[in-house]
Each structure stands twice: as C-alpha cells, then as structure tokens.
Amino acid sequence: MDRIDKVQGTFDARGTKKDIPPSAAAIARLPRYYRVLCALIEDGVLRISSGELGEKMGLTASQVRQDFRHFGDFGQQGYGYQVKYLHRKIGALLGREEQYHAVIIGSSPVADLLIKTGMLARAGLDCVAWITHCEEPETRGSSLPAYPWSARETALREHPAEVAVLCTPPEVARETVGALTALGVRGIFNCTGVPLPRLSNKVFTRDFAPEETLYHLLYDLTQDTKTKDTPT
C-alpha cells in the first residue's frame, strides 16, 4: 500500500477545521501523543486505530479523531493511522523539525534538574548558554558557557536563542523577562513558580508546573473513590 499521506481519501487531504481552533486540552495532549508514538515505533508497530490509540491515551476513539481533526487528522477511514507518519506530523507541530536554541537564566535546583535529566534536550531544545545573576557564574558541572547577567547582551550575541528557561528568584522575574525580550528572545519557559504578567503577542510563555500532573492524578483517585462509595 502507498504511504498513507498519498492514499486518496485520507483525512489529511480534507484539511483542518480552520473555523474552530484547537482547544487548549487538545494542544496539551500533543506531547503525550508524541511519546506514545515513540514507544509504538520502538515496539515495531506500523499501524494503529483511533480506538487503540485512545486506549493508550485514556481517551475515546472519538476524542482522538476530534483532536487530530483540528490539525489535519493524518489518517484514513478504515485504515487508521500509520504510526511513523503520524509521529512525524505531530513532531512537526511540536517543532521537532526546527532547531530551537535556549539559554538558562538564573541558578536554581530546577535548572540543575532540567539539565541533568536531559528534559530540555528531549523536547528538542539545544541549550547554548547559562546566564546567572552572579558576577562569577557557576554552571555546576555543566559544559555550557557561563555568563554573568551584566554580560547578557554578549551572551545572546555569541549564542543567539529563541527561548529563555527562566529560573530566577520570583522577585526579579518580570525585570528579567523584559530585558530578555528586548534582546530578541521570543519564548519564555517559566520555572520561577509564579505567573508572569501578560507579554506582547509576539512573546510566548509557558509555566513549568509539574504539580498540575500530580493534581490530575489525585483528582482521578478521588473521583474513583467517590464512585466506589456511591450506592448503586
């Protein structure tokens, strides 16, 4: 059979639902889809149905199809999804075909964790420098070139970056973000633990909030307990 993106009648050929933007929940699920597909490729799975993918995601088949319809669907009715093709398409949505560079800003246990665990690299970010608020910066064993905050212009000129991983104390976060965006940084990964003020439409921010995942887990446990305790 031809590649699924070449098969007549694929969902992808119908285009996306341009009149209905994808929900925040659908966008938030893209990384999970990507990780599941990575595992399927490692297991040698070539094709998967929306129902099978939904089981792995904890979703219904209808929810899976609805999620993908906003982005192009990427499957064919009666065939399902070609795993490698879907993996590539979702990867493209997540910027895996781009090469984004990042600078670490500040020094904190979170910064150490992100570097040591390789989380940023796995997400496709190439960390190119570490800028701290100390005049004698330390990168705690990292091989990244280190700069003091006073040399931030030099750092970003020598190591241009689209993304700043913000690990500063909360009280200097706003001032720091303003200085970085003035130097051309377009994305802020906020690891300060406090929300940032609304920035311009050309600057994107996301919070590093692992506790939200824990809250979701506790919610599931709580709801399951309530269901069991409810008389039938």
Side-chain angles (χ1 to χ4, degrees):
M1 176 178 280
D2 293 335
R3 277 176 39 189
I4 196 164
D5 52 328
K6 301 298 183 183
V7 175
Q8 185 176 6
T10 58
F11 297 141
D12 199 30
R14 295 192 225 155
T16 62
K17 278 191 169 183
K18 295 182 179 179
D19 55 328
I20 303 177
S23 66
I27 295 172
R29 282 192 286 269
L30 288 177
R32 287 182 55 211
Y33 280 118
Y34 190 78
R35 290 194 296 270
V36 168
L37 291 165
C38 286
L40 290 172
I41 290 173
E42 291 179 1
D43 291 341
V45 178
L46 300 178
R47 184 175 68 177
I48 192 168
S49 69
S50 55
E52 292 167 332
L53 186 54
E55 286 183 9
K56 294 182 177 297
M57 291 285 297
L59 304 171
T60 66
S62 177
Q63 286 175 311
V64 170
R65 291 193 295 270
Q66 183 71 17
D67 281 351
F68 292 160
R69 192 165 294 124
H70 293 294
F71 305 105
D73 267 318
F74 320 134
Q76 184 194 18
Q77 190 171 4
Y79 178 91
Y81 303 98
Q82 189 182 81
V83 172
K84 288 186 177 180
Y85 174 71
L86 183 58
H87 175 265
R88 178 164 58 84
K89 284 289 189 177
I90 293 179
L93 290 170
L94 295 173
R96 302 295 294 191
E97 295 181 353
E98 307 292 336
Q99 181 61 72
Y100 291 114
H101 302 90
V103 289
I104 306 290
I105 307 295
S107 182
S108 72
V110 173
D112 294 340
L113 177 68
L114 293 176
I115 293 296
K116 291 178 181 178
T117 61
M119 174 183 170
L120 299 175
R122 288 196 302 274
L125 275 177
D126 178 21
C127 288
V128 294
W130 199 325
I131 304 173
T132 77
H133 282 74
C134 302
E135 285 306 311
E136 296 183 1
E138 297 182 8
T139 56
R140 306 189 188 191
S142 169
S143 60
L144 293 174
Y147 295 83
W149 178 246
S150 59
R152 58 188 178 276
E153 292 187 33
T154 300
L156 286 168
R157 182 172 61 252
E158 295 179 350
H159 305 280
E162 297 83 11
V163 176
V165 181
L166 194 65
C167 300
T168 66
E171 59 269 20
V172 299
R174 179 179 298 196
E175 177 185 356
T176 301
V177 168
L180 293 170
T181 56
L183 293 172
V185 173
R186 298 174 45 236
I188 304 293
F189 188 42
N190 178 24
C191 302
T192 65
V194 296
L196 293 174
R198 182 175 177 82
L199 304 174
S200 74
N201 292 333
K202 294 184 179 180
V203 178
F204 304 93
T205 64
R206 288 286 181 179
D207 294 331
F208 178 55
E211 71 275 9
E212 290 185 6
T213 303
L214 178 57
Y215 290 151
H216 292 162
L217 174 62
L218 297 179
Y219 172 85
D220 291 339
L221 291 173
T222 302
Q223 297 307 307
D224 181 64
T225 300
K226 287 181 179 179
T227 300
K228 291 179 180 178
D229 292 341
T230 301
T232 57

